[in-house]
């Protein structure tokens, strides 16, 4: 391939640079200097970096900082809107997409860890198992030690998002916590001779908008790119064509929304109101020189009213000169008191030296319980006639002598434990416990009551019940000091809990009482049906008339879990019918769709999210924690070859065409005046376990809709996703405990 000749000016510039710094290292003195960056984003898939594009462009292109991106997988488990490639081949394509995207914002050497992107999951636990345990954390720690980012940005680590996102964020959090410890991942120290490195700031993508602590604008212009940061971000993201980004990204961007981040941990002073992710770490934070460390660590996050907790403040002089008259202080909010224990008056602190102070923080009877309270540590000092100072914060939470909490689901409990171990427990406040409850049935719920006080306590837990939920059971407690007890309550969920037109609902439920620290849960109200046993098997031909006597359900436009709500019932909605016999589960779906699109090629039958399709998700045990023990059936009603359903399995442990992964499965479809009808015949023997008469299963029916009639073949035209039980992210196809329940009747 011919390449254009370099201009003489560029050649001279290249020679000049080579003379100034011989060799490929440029101005670097060592391999570590070559690798050094100021900031690092750690994600799970190519395109997870979408939330940092504008910010990194600003810092790298226009402010001269260095940044990199670590992506744990190649994204080979995702869809492909540009062709038929899948598996590792798709992963390599997606990695190249990310390289080209990041190159536009100044990131030239991203790294891919090579972990397997198996299929869509909402389970961190399943991800950990599929990735072979936690050894991959040391790969992330290696990257942090090699590239020495002062600032790490990552994703949300708790339940409610992609399981691989959760594990990428947890690995980033562990690297922030332990990369500076030579005994953590000891082979890196002892065999690879990588020196420890301690990052200074850790940011998450916030779980919700109100959790953000800093917003970086994108509406102003980049001097280097000569366009707005929002437009540069849009341009970069259009490279993710396999994911369909080029279908809906426009330049100029429709909205120049700021990029929001949540400061989770900091080892350096930060301004009260942050405006820059690198403040305190690699650039001065007001009168505090960059790199000066001020870390605030409470011995515990929770402190009982009348109790106390010791708070350690570590102050490190990272400047080349001594500081004189250095002092440390700790401010507490109303309702708390603070007493210096040791080390507050530092005096002279030599360069490269550390001072430690301990303060005792007490929660008085006036401290607001169950609210996050910020402790603010400050330092002051003199250096060369200049007054230095800075502040950093930590979090505690005052709790009453008696605490009550809902028993969490396994995934919420695991994240709570992780957060406690990594000193990020305060983040849990935005993650309520989840309570899946069946509409029209009695649901037993467990509550844990603990007496943290110094004497016996007795009382009654109260519940703030939303409309449509009633409770029965004894919620009285009588506990000795330091003891706990489990209380059981029966909650009955009436259909009146449902918003108009919906089949499922998410409503808050609070437990508390006089002098009690309470808990908040989200109730996921789930529909249920009893499926009749058929005496004559329905014929799978796309004609639903022989399913009319089966159990029936409805899916309306408001039963939305994905993207935008359909314009009307004619745009997208459905009725479905279900029954069973000894060999098969039968499901028929009458889909209303005023623009049926057939843009999937017959030899590209996978990834139903891309176009018009229907999914039937089955948890035969009714107790699956993830989709590896479920059967996730799906079908397109038509292909580019014409009308006629094509069935397959997706996002479970045995993906592929139904002929290969579910022998005996049949699907059929017919075009109707209002959309299409589609039928499924799913063999029990293809499922990971076989239910019996009277068994209760998890089952959801999902409708995918896209209305772009002239879509290119294979393009991702997804506009909306509806389901019988529909919750944004958390309740779609990948979280079985939030699927509706069906009982195999007679």
């Amino acid at each position: 391939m011919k390449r254009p000749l370099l201009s003489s000016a560029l050649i001279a510039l290249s020679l000049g640079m080579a003379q100034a710094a011989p060799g490929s290292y440029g101005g670097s003195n060592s391999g570590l200097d070559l690798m050094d960056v100021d900031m690092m984003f750690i994600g799970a898939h190519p395109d997870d970096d979408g939330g940092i594009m504008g910010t990194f462009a600003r810092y790298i292109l226009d402010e001269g900082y260095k940044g990199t991106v670590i992506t744990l997988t190649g994204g080979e488990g995702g869809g492909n809107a540009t062709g038929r490639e899948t598996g590792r081949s798709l992963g390599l394509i997606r990695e190249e997409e990310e390289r080209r995207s990041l190159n536009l914002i100044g990131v030239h050497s991203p790294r891919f860890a090579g972990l397997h992107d198996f299929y869509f999951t909402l389970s961190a636990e399943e991800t950990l198992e599929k990735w072979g345990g936690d050894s991959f954390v040391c790969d992330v720690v290696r990257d942090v030690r090699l590239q020495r980012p002062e600032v790490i940005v990552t994703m949300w680590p708790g339940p409610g998002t992609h399981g691989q996102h959760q594990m990428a964020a947890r690995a980033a959090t562990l690297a922030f916590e332990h990369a500076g410890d030579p005994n953590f991942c000891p082979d890196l120290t002892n065999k690879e001779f990588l020196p420890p490195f301690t990052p200074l700031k850790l940011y998450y993508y916030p779980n919700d908008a109100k959790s953000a602590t800093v917003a970086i604008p994108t509406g102003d212009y980049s001097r280097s790119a000569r366009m707005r940061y929002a437009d540069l971000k849009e341009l970069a993201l259009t490279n993710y064509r396999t994911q369909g980004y080029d279908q809906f990204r426009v330049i100029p961007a429709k909205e120049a929304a700021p990029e929001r981040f949540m400061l989770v941990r900091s080892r350096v002073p930060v301004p009260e109101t942050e405006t820059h992710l690198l403040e305190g770490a690699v650039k001065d934070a007001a009168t505090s020189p960059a790199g000066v460390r001020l870390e605030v660590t409470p011995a515990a996050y929770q402190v009982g009213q009348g109790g106390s907790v010791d708070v350690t403040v570590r102050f490190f002089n990272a400047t080349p000169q001594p500081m004189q008259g250095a002092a440390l202080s700790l401010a507490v909010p109303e309702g708390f008191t603070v007493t210096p224990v040791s080390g507050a008056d530092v005096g002279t602190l030599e360069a490269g030296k550390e001072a430690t102070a301990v303060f005792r923080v007490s929660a008085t009877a006036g401290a607001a319980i169950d609210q996050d309270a910020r402790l603010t540590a400050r330092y002051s000092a003199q250096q060369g006639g200049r007054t230095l100072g800075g502040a950093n914060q930590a979090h505690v939470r005052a709790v009453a002598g008696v605490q009550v909490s809902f028993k969490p689901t396994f995934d919420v409990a695991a994240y709570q434990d992780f957060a406690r171990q990594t000193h990020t427990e305060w983040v849990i406040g935005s993650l309520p416990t989840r309570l899946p409850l069946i509409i029209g049935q009695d649901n037993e719920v467990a509550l844990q009551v603990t007496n943290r006080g110094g004497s016996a306590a007795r009382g009654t837990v109260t519940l703030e019940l939303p409309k449509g939920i009633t409770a029965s059971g004894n919620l009285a407690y009588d506990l000795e000091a330091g003891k706990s007890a489990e209380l059981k309550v029966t909650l009955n969920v009436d259909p009146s809990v449902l918003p108009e037109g919906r089949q499922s609902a998410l409503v808050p439920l609070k437990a508390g009482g006089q002098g009690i620290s309470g808990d908040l849960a989200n109730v996921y109200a789930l529909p249920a049906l009893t499926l009749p046993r058929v005496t004559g098997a329905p014929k799978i031909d796309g004609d639903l008339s022989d399913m009319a006597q089966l159990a029936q359900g409805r899916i309306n436009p408001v039963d939305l879990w994905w993207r935008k709500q359909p314009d009307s019932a004619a745009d997208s909605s459905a009725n479905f019918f279900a029954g069973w016999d000894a060999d098969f589960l039968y499901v028929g779906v009458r889909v209303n769709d005023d623009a049926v699109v057939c843009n999937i090629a017959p030899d590209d039958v996978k990834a139903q999210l891309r176009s018009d399709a229907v999914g039937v998700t089955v948890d035969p045990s009714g107790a699956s924690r993830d989709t590896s023990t479920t059967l996730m059936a799906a079908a397109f009603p038509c292909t580019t070859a014409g009308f006629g359903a094509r069935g397959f399995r997706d996002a479970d442990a045995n993906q592929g065409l139904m002929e290969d992964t579910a022998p005996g499965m049949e699907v059929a479809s017919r075009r109707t005046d209002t959309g299409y009808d589609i039928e499924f015949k799913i063999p029990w023997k293809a499922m990971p376990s076989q239910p019996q008469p009277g068994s209760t299963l998890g089952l959801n029916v999902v409708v995918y809709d896209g209305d772009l009639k002239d879509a290119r073949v294979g393009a991702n035209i997804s506009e909306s996703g509806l389901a019988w039980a529909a919750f944004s992210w958390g309740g779609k196809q990948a979280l079985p405990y939030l699927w509706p329940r069906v009982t195999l009747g007679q």
Side-chain angles (χ1 to χ4, degrees):
M1 174 180 176
K2 292 184 177 180
R3 300 179 184 275
L5 295 175
L6 290 172
S7 70
S8 58
L10 184 54
I11 293 173
L13 178 61
S14 300
L15 289 174
M17 291 176 61
Q19 291 169 355
S24 62
Y25 275 38
S28 303
N29 296 316
S30 71
L32 291 180
D33 291 334
L34 174 70
M35 302 287 286
D36 188 81
V37 297
D38 302 302
M39 55 197 175
M40 172 185 286
F41 173 77
I42 300 173
H45 314 100
D47 79 6
D48 286 346
D49 50 25
I52 55 94
M53 286 287 186
T55 301
F56 272 38
R58 176 187 297 274
Y59 294 167
I60 298 170
L61 298 180
D62 292 326
E63 297 184 16
Y65 296 106
K66 297 179 182 179
T68 194
V69 170
I70 308 299
T71 303
L72 298 191
T73 78
E76 62 271 21
N80 184 356
T82 63
R84 293 182 56 203
E85 299 85 6
T86 188
R88 185 59 185 141
S89 295
L90 174 59
L92 291 170
I93 293 170
R94 292 194 63 186
E95 288 175 11
E96 182 62 22
E97 288 180 336
E98 184 166 37
R99 289 188 189 94
R100 296 186 180 209
S101 180
L102 292 174
N103 187 63
L104 291 175
I105 66 166
V107 175
H108 302 306
S109 299
R111 201 186 81 76
F112 300 90
L115 294 173
H116 180 44
D117 179 20
F118 45 97
Y119 47 74
F120 184 86
T121 179
L122 286 168
S123 171
E125 293 73 23
E126 181 182 20
T127 300
L128 187 63
E129 179 182 352
K130 296 284 189 183
W131 285 356
D134 59 6
S135 61
F136 74 93
V137 173
C138 289
D139 295 330
V140 177
V141 172
R142 177 188 292 109
D143 285 320
V144 170
R145 289 193 184 182
L146 268 174
Q147 302 197 260
R148 304 183 296 187
E150 282 77 11
V151 174
I152 294 176
V153 184
T154 190
M155 311 187 80
W156 171 250
T161 185
H162 198 303
Q164 294 175 24
H165 294 177
Q166 296 176 51
M167 290 312 300
R170 294 185 197 185
T173 304
L174 289 169
F176 177 88
E177 179 75 8
H178 297 296
D181 179 0
N183 297 313
F184 190 82
C185 301
D187 282 356
L188 298 179
T189 305
N190 302 327
K191 295 183 179 180
E192 298 184 26
F193 307 108
L194 267 179
F197 175 80
T198 301
L200 301 180
K201 298 175 80 175
L202 173 68
Y203 290 90
Y204 289 164
Y205 285 169
N207 191 32
D208 49 56
K210 67 178 182 294
S211 299
T213 60
V214 58
I216 308 300
T218 65
D220 52 329
Y221 277 78
S222 163
R223 299 187 306 276
S224 301
R226 298 182 181 181
M227 63 175 67
R228 297 183 308 167
Y229 294 106
D231 300 328
L232 179 57
K233 175 178 180 175
E234 290 288 291
L235 181 62
L237 291 175
T238 57
N239 281 292
Y240 294 123
R241 294 186 65 223
T242 60
Q243 305 310 294
Y245 278 52
D246 58 318
Q247 294 291 304
F248 55 88
R249 299 283 173 180
V250 296
I251 301 172
K254 294 179 181 178
E255 180 184 11
E259 293 180 339
R260 302 182 186 276
F261 305 94
M262 180 184 194
L263 179 61
V264 178
R265 293 277 305 278
S266 179
R267 295 184 168 109
V268 295
V270 292
E272 183 174 348
T273 301
E274 274 196 292
T275 60
H276 200 291
L277 303 191
L278 302 182
E279 284 179 306
V282 293
K283 64 176 298 195
D284 295 350
T287 60
S288 183
V292 168
R293 297 189 189 179
L294 184 68
E295 189 167 11
V296 195
T297 310
Y301 173 61
Q302 294 187 342
V303 53
Q305 282 184 316
S308 61
V309 62
D310 283 354
V311 179
T312 301
V313 179
R314 292 182 174 85
F315 176 47
F316 178 76
N317 180 6
T319 72
Q321 300 176 13
M323 296 181 181
Q324 292 82 31
L328 300 173
S329 63
L330 187 70
V332 296
E334 183 179 355
F336 292 83
T337 62
V338 60
T339 304
V341 176
S342 63
D345 295 322
V346 178
T348 298
L349 186 64
E350 298 294 335
K353 298 297 182 180
E354 180 180 276
T356 300
V358 177
F359 299 87
R360 185 154 295 144
V361 173
S362 301
T364 70
I369 64 171
D370 301 336
Q371 295 182 20
D372 185 73
R374 295 188 179 186
L375 313 177
T376 303
R378 290 185 171 85
Y379 84 89
S380 60
Q382 297 292 317
Q383 187 182 71
R386 178 187 175 197
T387 298
L388 306 182
N392 197 5
Q393 295 183 335
H395 303 256
V396 294
R397 185 183 184 94
V399 295
V402 174
Q403 285 182 279
V404 61
S405 60
F406 293 98
K407 184 177 180 180
T409 51
F410 67 92
D411 47 354
V412 172
Y415 175 61
Q416 290 173 340
D417 185 56
F418 172 83
R420 282 188 286 269
Q421 294 176 24
T422 55
H423 307 290
T424 57
E425 191 174 4
W426 71 276
V427 176
I428 295 175
S430 60
L431 181 68
T433 300
R434 296 172 172 178
L435 294 179
L437 304 181
I438 308 304
I439 298 170
Q441 298 181 14
D442 289 335
N443 303 266
E444 187 177 79
V445 172
L447 299 100
Q448 183 85 5
V449 184
T450 301
N451 180 6
R452 296 171 55 100
S455 58
R458 64 177 58 183
T460 302
V461 174
T462 59
L463 298 176
E464 296 182 21
L465 297 168
K467 175 187 175 183
I469 298 181
T470 57
S472 59
N474 183 10
L475 291 179
Y477 62 88
D478 188 350
L479 295 171
E480 297 296 324
K483 298 296 184 181
S484 297
E486 185 173 89
L487 305 179
K488 297 288 183 67
V489 62
T490 299
L491 300 179
N492 185 275
V493 184
D494 185 85
S496 62
V497 76
L498 298 173
E500 184 177 357
R502 280 186 59 90
Q503 322 308 311
S504 59
L506 191 156
V507 293
L509 174 64
K510 291 186 69 174
Q514 184 67 34
I516 296 176
S517 278
D519 194 17
L520 175 67
N522 279 336
V523 169
Y524 291 80
L526 305 173
L529 285 174
T530 297
L531 307 188
R533 184 166 186 162
V534 301
T535 54
K539 186 177 181 181
I540 306 303
D541 56 3
D543 182 354
L544 302 186
S545 60
D546 55 358
M547 288 191 171
Q549 303 306 312
L550 303 185
Q552 300 184 28
R554 173 72 183 164
I555 301 172
N556 289 320
V558 291
D559 294 312
L560 181 74
W561 58 263
W562 174 251
R563 291 196 173 167
K564 67 168 188 164
Q565 183 173 317
D567 296 333
S568 64
D571 183 6
S572 184
S573 61
N575 292 83
F576 68 88
F577 311 83
W580 71 285
D581 63 21
D583 298 315
F584 297 97
L585 171 69
Y586 301 95
V587 179
V589 187
R590 175 156 290 146
V591 178
N592 297 307
D593 185 349
D594 56 11
V596 180
V597 181
C598 306
N599 71 313
I600 303 300
D603 58 359
D604 187 30
V605 176
K606 60 180 185 294
Q608 67 272 23
L609 186 68
R610 294 180 293 162
S611 190
D612 289 343
V614 170
V616 177
T617 66
V618 186
D619 174 13
S621 71
S624 291
R625 292 187 166 196
D626 55 64
T627 61
S628 66
T629 51
T630 70
L631 187 148
M632 308 271 284
F636 296 109
C638 55
T639 67
T640 55
F643 231 82
R646 291 296 307 276
F648 55 101
R649 292 174 66 170
D650 183 81
D652 64 22
N654 192 17
Q655 301 179 96
L657 294 174
M658 65 181 187
E659 302 94 297
D660 302 324
T661 61
M665 177 173 159
E666 297 179 30
V667 296
S669 63
R670 285 191 182 185
R671 190 74 164 89
T672 67
D673 292 340
T674 57
Y676 61 91
D677 291 349
I678 192 165
E679 292 180 297
F680 293 78
K681 176 182 176 182
I682 305 173
W684 297 118
K685 65 181 180 181
M687 299 187 187
S689 60
Q690 283 69 53
Q692 302 299 316
S695 295
T696 297
L697 292 64
L699 184 145
N700 208 3
V701 178
V702 187
V703 177
Y704 304 84
D705 183 51
D707 293 336
L708 187 62
K709 288 189 175 181
D710 58 351
R712 71 170 184 260
V713 176
N716 185 338
I717 62 167
S718 175
E719 293 185 12
S720 67
L722 309 179
W724 186 25
F727 308 101
S728 177
W729 281 103
K732 63 172 183 175
Q733 74 266 34
L735 205 55
Y737 68 73
L738 294 184
W739 294 350
R741 292 293 181 261
V742 298
T743 301
L744 302 184
Q746 298 300 320

